[in-house]
Amino acid sequence: KNRLGWTDEELLGQSILTVHPPEVREEAMAVVQDMLAGRRRTCPLPLLAKNGAQIPVETRIVKGSWDQKPALFGVSRDISEIKLSEEKFSKAFMSSPSLLSISRFEDGRFVDVNPAFLRTLGYTREEVIGRTSVDLNLFNDDATRQAIMNLTRDQALQSVEIQVWDKTGQMHYGEFTSQIIDISGQNYRLSMMNDITARRLAE
């Protein structure tokens, strides 16, 4: 109540959609129905403060009883700081001159890559997202690929020199770092490579 600014009188008897921005209310209703049916665990939609501000939250709904009557209990966690952190990470990710990728922990499929990755290796996003390094034949070195796939939560590869093949079959030298990160409660691999091909050829 203190965070959103509404009074008891303003909310009692009103639909839960009252505290959602108008533009997401239809989606919020669909999400709530999915949660009640067990198809989703959380609602990622923001809440609406009385002053018009939108508060990023993660909401869970639990069935229970209130005053001996069936009721739904909604618990919303303020994730404003998390969202700010994610936005900063996203900007740094996209603007970095290093080749950056995020892949799923379970199967190694790419979920995001930055412009430097695409520019250096000659791929489009459509050719990369949803595929693996094996699909793209990025590594000819099975030992390197296996070391990346075997990373655990508490491990990381730091500045390992590797060879990567681009879309045309040209080889690039790189200083490679990879570690496991948590995004919205799920484990992903964040990998970074600095292209040192010019330096290696000069040597």
Side-chain angles (χ1 to χ4, degrees):
K1 186 169 62 176
N2 291 338
R3 186 75 171 92
L4 297 180
W6 299 100
T7 65
D8 291 343
E9 292 74 19
E10 290 170 321
L11 293 181
L12 289 178
Q14 300 297 316
S15 167
I16 186 64
L17 298 181
T18 302
V19 293
H20 284 88
E23 63 271 18
V24 302
R25 286 176 183 171
E26 185 175 343
E27 183 182 358
M29 179 58 72
V31 171
V32 169
Q33 291 173 348
D34 284 345
M35 292 170 70
L36 293 176
R39 293 188 291 268
R40 299 184 64 147
R41 293 189 302 171
T42 62
C43 175
L45 301 176
L47 294 181
L48 181 66
K50 185 177 180 179
N51 64 6
Q54 295 190 17
I55 312 298
V57 298
E58 181 182 76
T59 301
R60 294 178 181 270
I61 291 180
V62 180
K63 295 180 180 179
S65 62
W66 183 266
D67 198 18
Q68 299 182 341
K69 295 179 181 180
L72 297 175
F73 295 90
V75 180
S76 296
R77 180 169 68 103
D78 188 339
I79 57 172
S80 300
E81 293 186 3
I82 296 175
K83 282 293 184 183
L84 179 60
S85 177
E86 289 178 349
E87 289 174 5
K88 290 180 178 178
F89 172 81
S90 179
K91 289 179 180 178
F93 181 88
M94 297 305 290
S95 63
S96 174
S98 300
L99 284 67
L100 296 175
S101 69
I102 299 175
S103 56
R104 294 199 313 218
F105 178 77
E106 306 84 34
D107 55 17
R109 296 190 182 279
F110 292 110
V111 298
D112 204 359
V113 293
N114 72 341
F117 181 105
L118 300 174
R119 184 172 57 252
T120 302
L121 300 184
Y123 290 99
T124 64
R125 285 185 60 80
E126 291 73 22
E127 291 173 321
V128 174
I129 303 305
R131 305 184 72 187
T132 69
S133 61
V134 176
D135 296 332
L136 301 178
N137 196 32
L138 295 183
F139 306 113
N140 276 3
D141 181 0
D142 288 335
T144 298
R145 181 168 54 236
Q146 201 58 46
I148 297 169
M149 295 299 293
N150 288 341
L151 283 178
T152 66
R153 179 66 182 166
D154 300 321
Q155 293 178 323
L157 289 178
Q158 295 289 346
S159 298
V160 177
E161 186 168 316
I162 64 171
Q163 297 173 355
V164 174
W165 272 255
D166 65 21
K167 185 178 178 180
T168 66
Q170 182 177 350
M171 188 262 288
H172 298 256
Y173 290 96
E175 287 182 346
F176 185 81
T177 297
S178 187
Q179 65 186 55
I180 307 301
I181 62 173
D182 181 284
I183 301 177
S184 300
Q186 300 293 321
N187 286 334
Y188 293 87
R189 289 183 183 84
L190 172 63
S191 299
M192 177 181 74
M193 190 188 90
N194 293 319
D195 192 338
I196 59 171
T197 304
R199 190 179 82 195
R200 271 283 168 258
L201 293 177
E203 293 174 353

